[in-house]
Amino acid sequence: MAKPDKVAAVAEIAESFRTSSATVVTQYTGLSVSQLSQLRRALGTSAKYRVAKNTLVKRAAEDAGVTGLEDLFVGATAIAFVEGEAVDAAKALRDFAKDNNALVIKGGYMDGKALSVDEINRIADLDSREVLLAKAAGAFKAKLSQAAALFQAPASQVARLAAALEEKQRNAAGTEAAEAPAES
């Protein structure tokens, strides 16, 4: 018979799987408590980093309908449940793993699909949502400026044409006036 605390832990982990936008499974063997605290700080509010027993995580994943991760739940396993942007959490984990060889990214899960380590690294290489929005806003502003210049161009061309025509008429009138007394 299952112990109530284990049942509660499975339910909590399953709920984390359901509510997360992504999860990243890691192996943390060799990390000290202070290093784990640093990792949690690096993740900030974008993810919750949880250490759990593999049997509990397997059951919770099954309850949540998460498939394809069963092979990753071996050894000392911890999971980052991403609540914010997957890019931010993936960058934080990748950068921390570069500085601390004891942290190994095993894989992950996002949008109903298991992710390989390479896919997580590609996600980490993406620009953050804020940077992408700023780039899009800059591109829209540039296009609007180009459109404004394009719409303004015919009006300024007409104005230059009218000025040139007026100048030509003045020159022609001045030339006729200069020639008229010479003929008399």
Side-chain angles (χ1 to χ4, degrees):
M1 182 169 195
K3 293 184 181 176
D5 58 336
K6 289 185 180 183
V7 171
V10 168
E12 183 181 332
I13 295 168
E15 185 61 24
S16 294
F17 272 118
R18 284 186 204 97
T19 59
S20 299
S21 58
T23 57
V24 180
V25 181
T26 64
Q27 180 175 335
Y28 67 95
T29 304
L31 288 178
S32 66
V33 173
S34 65
Q35 288 172 320
L36 284 172
S37 295
Q38 288 174 351
L39 175 57
R40 285 185 172 105
R41 277 194 300 278
L43 288 170
T45 59
S46 66
K48 288 183 181 176
Y49 194 69
R50 171 143 188 186
V51 175
K53 291 185 176 186
N54 290 325
T55 54
L56 299 180
V57 174
K58 284 179 187 178
R59 285 189 186 135
E62 186 179 309
D63 288 351
V66 174
T67 58
L69 299 180
E70 296 81 17
D71 296 341
L72 303 179
F73 302 132
V74 177
T77 302
I79 302 173
F81 292 103
V82 181
E83 296 173 349
E85 290 295 318
V87 173
D88 297 338
K91 280 182 186 185
L93 286 165
R94 181 196 59 194
D95 294 345
F96 191 86
K98 281 182 185 177
D99 296 338
N100 299 284
N101 293 334
L103 182 71
V104 177
I105 297 174
K106 294 179 176 183
Y109 190 83
M110 185 169 79
D111 294 334
K113 178 183 171 246
L115 301 174
S116 68
V117 176
D118 290 335
E119 290 171 319
I120 292 170
N121 286 329
R122 282 191 296 229
I123 290 170
D125 290 336
L126 294 173
D127 289 331
S128 70
R129 182 176 188 270
E130 290 78 19
V131 171
L132 291 174
L133 288 173
K135 285 181 179 181
F140 289 139
K141 182 179 178 189
K143 291 297 179 189
L144 288 174
S145 297
Q146 288 174 347
L150 183 65
F151 292 135
Q152 183 182 7
S156 62
Q157 287 175 344
V158 168
R160 285 193 299 269
L161 182 62
L165 185 59
E166 184 180 327
E167 183 67 30
K168 183 177 179 182
Q169 286 176 345
R170 269 192 261 140
N171 288 343
T175 306
E176 287 177 9
E179 289 179 7
E183 289 180 8
S184 321

